[in-house]
Amino acid sequence: MFTSETALAKVRAAEDAWNSRDPERVALGYSEDSQWRNRDVFLTGRAEIIAFLREKWSRELDYRLRKELWAYTGNRIAVRFEYEWHDEGGQWYRSHGNENWEFDDEGLMRRRYASVNDVRIGPQDRRIGV
């Protein structure tokens, strides 16, 4: 069962791991059989998570993320997030979304459901990691 402090600590740890852009480090926060929905992609297990993140960060260059605790109850947390990145051509994007997380008894995330929308922005409109 989460408290406001422990839920916020989970969110900060996830933000730090994702901002490392290290797929192996990120995957350690998820159970071996973790289930994901990320946009229209469905994944199961750490190996699939690592492969997905490697491919993601090969396209989403200079990725920087912010997460915000939205709500928590029991072993679940809801998060609002936004991140900025650019493609190979230099076009910047801000991606907005929501995630629903469920944790196992060891504190690893066993389910992650993410809905994400992308908006084109100019370099002057960046506000994360500037």
Side-chain angles (χ1 to χ4, degrees):
M1 301 279 281
F2 285 107
T3 66
S4 59
E5 292 79 21
T6 59
L8 186 56
K10 280 288 189 192
V11 172
R12 287 295 146 252
E15 180 181 87
D16 290 345
W18 280 71
N19 277 327
S20 76
R21 296 187 300 257
D22 178 346
E24 288 79 11
R25 177 180 170 191
V26 172
L28 292 175
Y30 300 89
S31 66
E32 290 286 345
D33 60 349
S34 185
Q35 296 177 356
W36 279 28
R37 181 186 56 77
N38 194 89
R39 301 176 190 248
D40 61 346
V41 176
F42 294 83
L43 308 169
T44 301
R46 285 185 182 162
E48 288 185 16
I49 291 168
I50 290 168
F52 171 84
L53 292 173
R54 281 188 184 138
E55 195 278 327
K56 170 186 179 66
W57 289 322
S58 73
R59 289 179 294 102
E60 296 180 0
L61 306 175
D62 294 322
Y63 173 100
R64 292 297 296 165
L65 166 74
R66 287 187 187 151
K67 289 186 182 283
E68 175 187 356
L69 176 61
W70 195 257
Y72 65 92
T73 186
N75 67 339
R76 294 180 174 173
I77 296 176
V79 175
R80 180 198 142 322
F81 66 88
E82 63 181 28
Y83 61 91
E84 294 176 349
W85 56 280
H86 67 85
D87 62 20
E88 286 183 355
Q91 173 61 58
W92 281 93
Y93 295 86
R94 184 173 301 118
S95 301
H96 301 266
N98 300 295
E99 294 175 319
N100 295 313
W101 301 344
E102 183 179 79
F103 293 85
D104 65 16
D105 292 338
E106 286 76 47
L108 297 173
M109 197 180 304
R110 69 176 160 208
R111 291 193 184 114
R112 174 185 174 267
Y113 303 112
S115 298
V116 188
N117 298 296
D118 303 316
V119 177
R120 286 177 176 246
I121 61 172
Q124 72 280 1
D125 299 320
R126 292 181 55 218
R127 59 182 182 225
I128 302 173
V130 177

